[in-house]
Amino acid sequence: MATQDTHSLAPTGTGPEGTNEGIKDKVSGMASQAKNTAAEWGRTAASTMDKNLQSAAGALENTATKLREHVPPSGTMNKYGTATVDKLE
C-alpha cells in the first residue's frame, strides 16, 4: 500500500492542471498546519501568562495583607504603611 507524501511538494496530479493543483493543495495544507500550530502555541503562551499573572496577583495580595497586619494604628508609620498597602491592593 502506498503512503501519501505530505511533506514534499512533488507533483501528484496526472494532467497539466492536475500537477499544479497537487502542489497548490500541498502548500495549502502545509500553510493550514503551520497556522494551526502557531495558534496552539499562542493559546499555550496566553494560558501560561494568565497562570503567572494570577500567581503574582495572589502574592501581592498576601503581601498587602501581611503588611496591613503590622501597620501601627496611628502616626506617621500608619500613614505611609497604609498608603503602601493600598497601592499593593
Side-chain angles (χ1 to χ4, degrees), residues 3-89:
T3 60
Q4 184 178 3
D5 181 8
T6 58
H7 299 291
S8 169
L9 293 179
T12 58
T14 55
E17 289 299 316
T19 300
N20 290 336
E21 291 302 315
I23 292 172
K24 288 178 185 177
D25 289 345
K26 284 188 177 186
V27 169
S28 177
M30 292 168 83
S32 178
Q33 182 178 3
K35 179 182 172 185
N36 290 339
T37 300
E40 182 61 33
W41 287 348
R43 283 189 292 274
T44 300
S47 176
T48 300
M49 288 172 43
D50 285 345
K51 288 177 186 175
N52 290 341
L53 182 60
Q54 290 173 359
S55 177
L60 284 173
E61 187 175 338
N62 288 340
T63 300
T65 300
K66 292 292 182 187
L67 284 173
R68 193 171 296 282
E69 291 172 359
H70 293 88
V71 171
S74 62
T76 304
M77 288 302 292
N78 175 275
K79 176 182 170 184
Y80 293 117
T82 301
T84 301
V85 171
D86 289 344
K87 288 179 183 180
L88 285 174
E89 292 178 327

